[in-house]
Amino acid sequence: MVVLAKGELEQIALPAAQPPAADVRSVDLSAAAGPAREAAARALVAACEEHGFFRVTGHGVPAELVRAAEAAASGFFARPQGEKEEEAPTLGYGSKRVGGNGDIGWVEYLLLGVTPAGAVPVASASSSTLPCAAAAATASSSLSTPAGPLRDLLDEYTVAVRRMACAVLELMAEGLGLAGGEAGALARLVTRADSDCVLRVNHYPPRPVAVGAPSLMGFGEHTDPQIISVLRSNGTSGLEIALRGGAWASVPPDGDAFFVNVGDTLQVLTNGRFRSVRHRVVVNSERSRVSMIFFGGPPPGERLAPLPQLLGDGGRSRYREFTWAEFKNSGCRTRLAEDRLSRFEN
């Protein structure tokens, strides 16, 4: 349940404009295992350059696992509000507040840090796409509370999706022409024991009939700060991306595929060749939308700068070097829609 005061509802009300459907490129990971790998790598790079957003099919994540995790999450969000709030320490539950700087939306969510031992809750009060609080180190990956089965499913889901994210990053590196050890460098950033990865499960309840506006902002416009984000939803519409000219386009729902966003950090690593996609979620449906997003981030102390092989003619770097912790701390002081990268440009 999301409870907003009248003034808050007015704050997130949207006009009736229906943006056109986005032309989303698709990458088939199963084809990338054979002779078509080079073509798949080129297609992936083209998608990252064009929109910073693409669909992944042939991903290898078991459909039964996806359905089970999604059903368990939906079951959790259907529970009484008091029961859900009791699980804030174990599942990182929160609602309506997106980050700690005043942004709100028609959304409730779970926010879990990804560790070698399993998923652990992140303090929801300060969390958006950029968790600003450390996860609880003592949390167990298997609980005796009602959250236990859900946590176990989300752990298993996260393992499978991170594996797929690594396959995407490896293919991406090949498409960029990175050779030798550099080809696996991108994937290693999200697989180390201290990599700062997060799983977020969002629930957007149906638009309330009593609200005069035809649409509500579920999650306001933003870019993701990490390297990549891997998203899937239950087939309900609502996701929109900003095209290069600034116009919004709706993403046709696909209950079988995953979608990948280029994040701010990947834009930096490619020296701006890849585009961190601005996106949002609009609620205008009578059906709930449940989405699960894996955010692949680097270790806190990792020094980030454009890769030398991607500097191009003249070797000019568009961004100064910084650590992930530095970028993260800077982002935690901004509103959701602000441009975090502008502070790190040369």
Side-chain angles (χ1 to χ4, degrees), residues 23 113 124 256 260 277:
D23 181 14
S124 59
D256 299 318
V260 174
V277 62

Side-chain angles (χ1 to χ4, degrees), residues 66 73 78 110 136 157 169 194 232 263 279 299:
V66 172
L110 307 177
Y157 174 84
L169 289 170
D194 56 346
R232 67 145 281 115
H279 53 288

Side-chain angles (χ1 to χ4, degrees), residues 208-330:
V209 177
V211 176
S215 300
L216 293 175
M217 185 67 73
F219 207 109
E221 66 173 276
H222 64 284
T223 59
D224 294 337
Q226 292 87 354
I227 298 171
I228 62 170
S229 310
V230 182
L231 172 148
R232 67 145 281 115
S233 74
N234 61 342
T236 301
S237 63
L239 178 62
E240 297 179 357
I241 61 172
L243 306 180
R244 281 196 174 272
W248 288 100
S250 63
V251 177
D254 187 330
D256 299 318
F258 283 81
F259 292 94
V260 174
N261 299 338
V262 169
D264 295 340
T265 300
L266 187 54
Q267 179 171 316
V268 169
L269 293 172
T270 60
N271 204 32
R273 180 173 172 181
F274 287 0
R275 173 176 177 258
S276 180
V277 62
R278 185 164 289 271
H279 53 288
R280 66 185 185 182
V281 175
V282 174
V283 178
N284 56 12
S285 171
E286 296 180 359
R287 183 183 175 207
S288 291
R289 174 182 170 90
V290 175
S291 59
M292 299 184 288
I293 314 101
F294 169 80
F295 297 97
E302 186 71 27
R303 305 202 68 81
L304 303 166
L307 297 173
Q309 304 92 318
L310 302 179
L311 288 179
D313 295 339
R316 178 183 175 275
S317 174
R318 293 181 54 185
Y319 304 96
R320 66 175 177 85
E321 186 179 77
F322 55 87
T323 66
W324 170 243
E326 183 183 359
F327 184 52
K328 182 174 176 177
N329 290 336
S330 172

Side-chain angles (χ1 to χ4, degrees), residues 7 18 37 43 48 60 64 85 89 101 103 133 138 140 156 177 184 195 209 245 258 260-261 274 290 294 318 338 344:
Q18 179 65 35
R37 185 172 181 84
C48 293
E64 59 273 16
E85 291 174 353
N101 298 309
D103 293 290
T138 57
S140 166
E156 187 178 355
S195 294
V209 177
F258 283 81
V260 174
N261 299 338
F274 287 0
V290 175
F294 169 80
R318 293 181 54 185
E338 290 183 40
F344 296 88

Side-chain angles (χ1 to χ4, degrees), residues 44-108:
L44 193 157
V45 167
C48 293
E49 292 173 335
E50 181 183 20
H51 293 318
F53 181 84
F54 54 94
R55 178 190 291 106
V56 175
T57 60
H59 44 72
V61 179
E64 59 273 16
L65 172 60
V66 172
R67 287 193 294 267
E70 191 175 88
S74 297
F76 173 83
F77 289 121
R79 290 163 61 182
Q81 187 65 22
E83 292 184 16
K84 289 185 289 189
E85 291 174 353
E86 289 176 0
E87 297 292 0
T90 56
L91 289 171
Y93 174 79
S95 69
K96 85 174 183 180
R97 302 200 180 281
V98 181
N101 298 309
D103 293 290
I104 60 174
W106 189 254
V107 62
E108 58 180 343

